[in-house]
Amino acid sequence: MVRIGAHVDQDDPLGQAAERGAEVVQFFLGDPQGWKGPVLPATADAIRASDVDVYIHAPYVINVATANNRIRIPSRKLLAAHLEAAAALGAKGLVVHGGHVGKDDDPQVGFDNWRKVFERMECPIPVLIENTAGGGNAVARKLDRIARLWDALDGFDVGFCLDTCHAHAGGEDLADVVDRVKAITGRIDLIHCNDSRDAFGSGADRHANLGKGTIDPELIVAVCRAAGAPIVVETPGPGQAADIAFLRERLG
């Protein structure tokens, strides 16, 4: 059976998992918009001993693709620190956004910079690169860019996180997105199961609870079923328990 859970606050992940009926939790280890290093939660021992599967989301500020040294170098260091901390928690993987290059930069620069990350960094747990919703210079919004990224990462064991809201908002048809992603990456390690508040192709990263946005909820279920990967809802908190129950009822 597919394990289903939610993105929760880092202060009490296990308590929030219990409230939501979650078998999986994802959370940050600090300010998602800041550059400070990760901090393990006070309940780290309990988290390691729990049967709840854990994923850590890296800060949004990380952009290892950029040609800007003042962002890329700190990004690599912060990514490495979060990878080490996530491994110390017994996490199944570390989710990180693909990032972007400057508007006048060759996208290949971003793909090559990602390769340098894996050439120089030990990965005690999988790094799961997540598709993003917007930005014409993003390296992981459109599947053609993701294909080029995976070509650059050939030879490295890199995981993929598919976000349904991001794919929809990014202009990728969800009807066959799983097959198209797997043809590129070979696997999907985690599903971020989110409805989208905005229209197809909008480029807007705004999540909604399942059935409350612009994506047919049965299409979201079909994506989750086809992927066969653990599921994390990153939807507004008050509706997460209902979202998990909805998925569990339909996925068995």
Side-chain angles (χ1 to χ4, degrees), residues 23-230:
E23 302 157 327
V24 182
V25 289
Q26 175 187 278
F27 51 93
F28 294 107
L29 293 176
D31 179 2
Q33 301 289 357
W35 289 97
K36 290 185 178 180
V39 177
L40 295 181
T43 55
D45 289 342
I47 291 170
R48 282 189 290 266
S50 170
D51 60 358
V52 174
D53 292 340
V54 173
Y55 292 84
I56 299 302
H57 201 303
Y60 298 132
V61 294
I62 289 176
N63 182 9
V64 300
T66 180
N68 185 337
N69 290 343
R70 289 176 294 179
I71 296 175
R72 187 181 68 257
I73 293 172
S75 290
R76 286 181 184 168
K77 292 178 179 178
L78 192 59
L79 180 64
H82 274 79
L83 191 60
E84 182 178 349
L89 270 179
K92 300 287 187 181
L94 176 70
V95 179
V96 60
H97 288 182
H100 59 275
V101 296
K103 64 182 180 65
D104 297 321
D105 292 329
D106 181 347
Q108 189 62 43
V109 171
F111 308 138
D112 292 342
N113 283 338
W114 259 111
R115 182 173 182 86
K116 292 174 184 176
V117 169
F118 291 100
E119 288 175 339
R120 301 173 184 181
M121 187 174 70
E122 295 294 325
C123 296
I125 61 172
V127 173
L128 311 182
I129 299 176
E130 179 182 355
N131 63 307
T132 50
N137 305 311
V139 302
R141 174 184 178 179
K142 303 295 289 185
L143 263 62
D144 59 340
R145 289 278 179 94
I146 293 172
R148 291 180 64 185
L149 176 58
W150 247 253
D151 284 344
L153 298 178
D154 186 45
F156 294 101
D157 184 21
V158 185
F160 189 76
C161 173
L162 175 63
D163 187 303
T164 56
C165 170
H166 294 178
H168 173 83
E172 295 290 351
D173 189 349
L174 292 183
D176 61 351
V177 73
V178 170
D179 288 341
R180 290 186 291 127
V181 166
K182 287 185 175 180
I184 295 166
T185 66
R187 71 199 218 210
I188 295 173
D189 297 80
L190 185 67
I191 290 286
H192 281 173
C193 181
N194 306 307
D195 205 334
S196 172
R197 288 200 296 173
D198 293 275
F200 180 82
S202 65
D205 183 2
R206 300 179 183 177
H207 300 181
N209 293 107
L210 305 185
K212 303 296 183 181
T214 60
I215 309 175
D216 179 351
E218 294 303 332
L219 181 55
I220 295 176
V221 170
V223 169
C224 293
R225 183 178 292 112

